[in-house]
Amino acid sequence: MTSDQILSFLVVGGMMLLFIWGRLRYDLVAIIALIAALALGIVPYEEAFTGFSDEIVVIVGSALVVSAAVARTGIMEAILQLVAPRVRAVPVQLVLLVGTVTVLSAFVKNIGALAIMLPIAFQMAKRSHVSPSVFLMPMAFGSLLGGLMTLIGTSPNIIVSRLREEMTGEPFRMFDFTPVALGLSVLGVGFLALAYRLLPERRGAATMNEALDIKDYITEAKVLPESVVAGTSLGSLNERFDHEVKVTGLIRGAGHRLSPLPDLRLEADDLLLLQGEPEALERAVKRAELELEGRRRIAEGSNSDDEIGSIEAVVGPRSFLAGQSAGRLALYDSYEVNLLAVSRSGQRFTERLRDITLQGGDVLLLKGNLARLPERLKELGCLPLAKRELRLGNVRSSLVPVAILALAMGLTAVGLVPVAVAFFTAAGAMVVTGALSLREAYDSVEWPILVMLGALIPVSASIHATGGTELIAGWLSMAANMLPAWGALALIMVAGMAVTPFLNNAATVLVMGPIAASFATQLGYRPDAFLMAVAIGAGCDFLTPIGHQCNTLVLGPGGYRFGDYARLGAPLSLLVVLVGVPLIILVWGL
């Protein structure tokens, strides 16, 4: 072993210890590793920042933007809402929830897919009188399985594809991962639908909405001529809303108020007074193709450079808004903010927004220029609430982002356009078409992941440059001499699973990928199957709540303990190895 090999192993070993220690964030650990590699001379100065110009960073960042835009459409959520109220049996609900998350995770970032489906899981748990913990961990595991199915489903797939291109001259294509991952996903969904009984029933933590105790908002929405509900009855509208939102009033023509009776027929330009939780109101407005009051006025009065957004604020005790109505105040004309909704504890409003007399303690949903909203709140004497994801008033068209994603995937699948170019262009198109604002696009990028990738690429390359990968591969080859071919493949997959809880999954692939390829070469096998085993091993962390963001996301809401993950995750991991290895050999050969 040479001195450079020893130094490269020390850097990587120290990095892994810092990851396990967990006191420093993973991007900072990667930066420390890069600085140490530079100081020790195992990464040349001129190659220090080559990782940040690598197309992997571009692909991952662009995929995150595209994923966020598609997630905002709510198309899968809308489809599921048609079926969910009719499904009562817990195992069937699990198949529906986990299956949807799994499919969605193949095309959008898995944590985004999981976040989309969490509210529906809570609704189903409430209807079925079971703890949300029954659903949440299986959904998290399903999102990890679904991410394995396509090139853009998870970061390890993108990195493995790049490694294969460096070694063979040809990367993995968009759906090369699908045959193996689809088999694992189908089997995994079936297993989770039955094995959820291994989980103890836990009481979930309170959500932010519950903590703030904001039950209902009142808002106004107009029936457009092209709305799907124009000409239908109010009763059918309530069914379309899944009874999550109440119609408290209807105004037609020149202020003529009608009683919201079930057989009343809706007409174009009718103004509906809607009451419900913010997320339910958003779903209702989108599903019925309504237009929120004031949305067009803000759009027409905004410049192209304005960042428009919403904020929740409480009317302060000394605010001059108390005792005044929104219509009399002319908020938009005077302050360039629009009142989208009002909430008052224990109050059901029947009057229009502009006619509501505001009181101290009322919660307002205001929309305007984000740069000026803090100043406007001070002028109005309002206090901002804790930041929450509120998208009421930001309804997006479902078709445009989905069409952009489909086009990008199609072009890369047939090899007409490189993945980096296709998804960078798609990310730009999402902003240009208004599927995401520029602020939302930047917010959707997980910058720590990109920093970690950029810093770790030259560090992992140093192991290969010093001959460290061949050395480790030789040790593994000696250990595998007594194993059959499938045993060697299983060894690599299990190694990936073992390392992932302590490293970020992308870091696992950067470290294990070259080792697996060298290992395969020394045993006389092609690298494809072994790289695929690394991708699956790195993407399947079912044992801890800290190895993947999806697992962490459900920890609090599900009320889980650390050991709960292994109770369901250990048998699922064993199943992935037992089924994944034969599938890889069948599809890719050795």
Side-chain angles (χ1 to χ4, degrees):
M1 186 183 297
T2 66
S3 59
D4 284 346
Q5 289 174 345
I6 293 173
L7 291 175
S8 64
F9 289 152
L10 285 174
V11 170
V12 173
M15 177 185 71
M16 293 182 68
L17 289 175
L18 287 176
F19 276 127
I20 295 170
W21 186 43
R23 297 292 182 87
L24 301 178
R25 207 169 68 177
Y26 52 82
D27 51 337
L28 181 57
V29 172
I31 291 172
I32 292 172
L34 177 58
I35 293 172
L38 287 168
L40 295 172
I42 56 177
V43 172
Y45 294 141
E46 60 272 15
E47 296 179 10
F49 306 114
T50 53
F52 292 98
S53 62
D54 196 290
E55 66 176 19
I56 290 176
V57 176
V58 176
I59 294 171
V60 172
S62 301
L64 290 171
V65 174
V66 173
S67 170
V70 174
R72 291 293 298 271
T73 65
I75 189 167
M76 291 295 291
E77 184 181 4
I79 294 171
L80 192 62
Q81 282 287 354
L82 300 176
V83 183
R86 300 174 178 85
V87 177
R88 298 295 179 183
V90 171
V92 181
Q93 290 176 333
L94 265 167
V95 170
L96 188 62
L97 288 170
V98 178
T100 302
V101 169
T102 302
V103 172
L104 195 57
S105 296
F107 304 102
V108 303
K109 183 155 179 67
N110 43 22
I111 192 170
L114 181 60
I116 291 169
M117 299 303 300
L118 283 181
I120 297 179
F122 279 104
Q123 293 169 26
M124 281 194 174
K126 187 175 181 180
R127 287 194 189 107
S128 303
H129 306 290
V130 298
S131 170
S133 64
V134 171
F135 297 134
L136 299 190
M137 190 186 297
M139 289 170 63
F141 290 172
S143 71
L144 299 185
L145 290 170
L148 301 175
M149 286 199 282
T150 63
L151 176 65
I152 62 167
T154 186
S155 301
N157 288 4
I158 297 172
I159 299 170
V160 161
S161 175
R162 174 59 184 274
L163 291 173
R164 185 189 190 228
E165 183 179 21
E166 292 175 352
M167 294 168 188
T168 67
E170 184 179 354
F172 285 122
R173 292 171 297 177
M174 181 63 64
F175 299 107
D176 282 349
F177 300 87
T178 306
V180 174
L182 182 60
L184 291 174
S185 296
V186 171
L187 193 66
V189 170
F191 170 81
L192 292 168
L194 298 175
Y196 72 92
R197 295 178 179 86
L198 295 172
L199 287 172
E201 190 166 313
R202 304 290 191 193
R203 182 179 296 274
T207 63
M208 178 68 80
N209 281 355
E210 292 168 343
L212 293 175
D213 197 30
I214 300 173
K215 299 298 184 185
D216 288 318
Y217 276 104
I218 183 75
T219 191
E220 297 178 7
K222 181 184 290 186
V223 178
L224 301 174
E226 61 271 20
S227 297
V228 294
V229 297
T232 64
S233 69
L234 199 58
S236 65
L237 178 67
N238 287 328
E239 292 181 3
R240 186 179 291 271
F241 289 167
D242 195 22
H243 302 284
E244 294 181 309
V245 170
K246 298 175 183 176
V247 180
T248 62
L250 187 149
I251 298 170
R252 179 171 293 169
H256 183 53
R257 182 182 293 272
L258 302 176
S259 298
L261 301 176
D263 58 350
L264 182 65
R265 292 281 167 181
L266 298 173
E267 299 179 2
D269 296 326
D270 281 352
L271 194 64
L272 302 175
L273 306 183
L274 306 177
Q275 186 170 13
E277 296 179 353
E279 294 81 4
L281 288 170
E282 181 191 4
R283 287 192 294 270
V285 170
K286 189 178 186 67
R287 201 175 299 158
E289 298 179 0
L290 306 175
E291 182 182 70
L292 280 171
E293 171 65 14
R295 182 178 176 222
R296 183 175 299 173
R297 180 166 66 240
I298 285 184
E300 291 173 351
S302 301
N303 297 321
S304 59
D305 293 334
D306 289 343
E307 295 284 354
I308 304 300
S310 304
I311 191 170
E312 280 180 303
V314 180
V315 177
R318 299 180 182 177
S319 171
F320 69 88
L321 296 180
Q324 302 285 335
S325 67
R328 189 185 310 162
L329 290 168
L331 288 176
Y332 184 78
D333 295 332
S334 303
Y335 298 95
E336 295 181 328
V337 295
N338 194 59
L339 178 64
L340 292 182
V342 177
S343 176
R344 181 180 299 164
S345 179
Q347 181 75 38
R348 179 176 177 178
F349 294 105
T350 57
E351 59 263 51
R352 294 192 59 180
L353 276 178
R354 67 186 184 188
D355 299 328
I356 294 174
T357 300
L358 302 175
Q359 299 178 5
D362 284 353
V363 181
L364 312 180
L365 184 58
L366 301 171
K367 186 171 184 179
N369 188 312
L370 287 175
R372 294 195 288 268
L373 271 177
E375 179 183 347
R376 295 292 182 258
L377 290 182
K378 289 181 181 179
E379 295 175 6
L380 295 171
C382 294
L383 306 172
L385 283 180
K387 183 179 179 182
R388 294 195 286 171
E389 284 295 323
L390 282 174
R391 301 181 299 195
L392 187 59
N394 295 325
V395 178
R396 306 293 203 270
S397 169
S398 299
L399 296 180
V400 173
V402 173
I404 292 172
L405 173 62
L407 181 60
M409 293 182 68
L411 291 174
T412 56
V414 298
L416 290 178
V417 180
V419 175
V421 174
F423 279 88
F424 184 77
T425 304
M430 294 296 183
V431 177
V432 171
T433 59
L436 284 180
S437 70
L438 199 57
R439 177 185 292 271
E440 290 168 334
Y442 280 116
D443 288 344
S444 67
V445 177
E446 294 183 35
W447 298 105
I449 290 286
L450 300 191
V451 171
M452 185 200 71
L453 287 174
L456 280 189
I457 286 171
V459 174
S460 63
S462 71
I463 303 176
H464 179 71
T466 59
T469 55
E470 286 77 9
L471 188 64
I472 297 175
W475 295 339
L476 288 173
S477 298
M478 292 172 59
N481 278 336
M482 304 299 293
L483 297 174
W486 60 264
L489 192 63
L491 178 64
I492 288 296
M493 187 182 294
V494 170
M497 285 183 174
V499 173
T500 299
F502 308 109
L503 295 180
N504 179 278
N505 55 8
T508 297
V509 176
L510 284 170
V511 173
M512 289 293 301
I515 293 172
S518 298
F519 174 60
T521 302
Q522 292 191 21
L523 291 176
Y525 302 129
R526 293 187 297 112
D528 293 349
F530 289 82
L531 288 174
M532 195 63 66
V534 169
I536 291 173
C540 292
D541 174 30
F542 305 127
L543 300 177
T544 71
I546 59 174
H548 196 279
Q549 294 167 314
C550 290
N551 293 352
T552 307
L553 182 62
V554 301
L555 178 64
Y560 300 117
R561 298 172 185 168
F562 194 96
D564 292 343
Y565 286 79
R567 295 180 66 161
L568 184 62
L572 180 58
S573 298
L574 179 62
L575 191 65
V576 167
V577 175
L578 292 177
V579 177
V581 170
L583 279 176
I584 291 174
I585 294 174
L586 179 65
V587 174
W588 292 99
L590 291 172

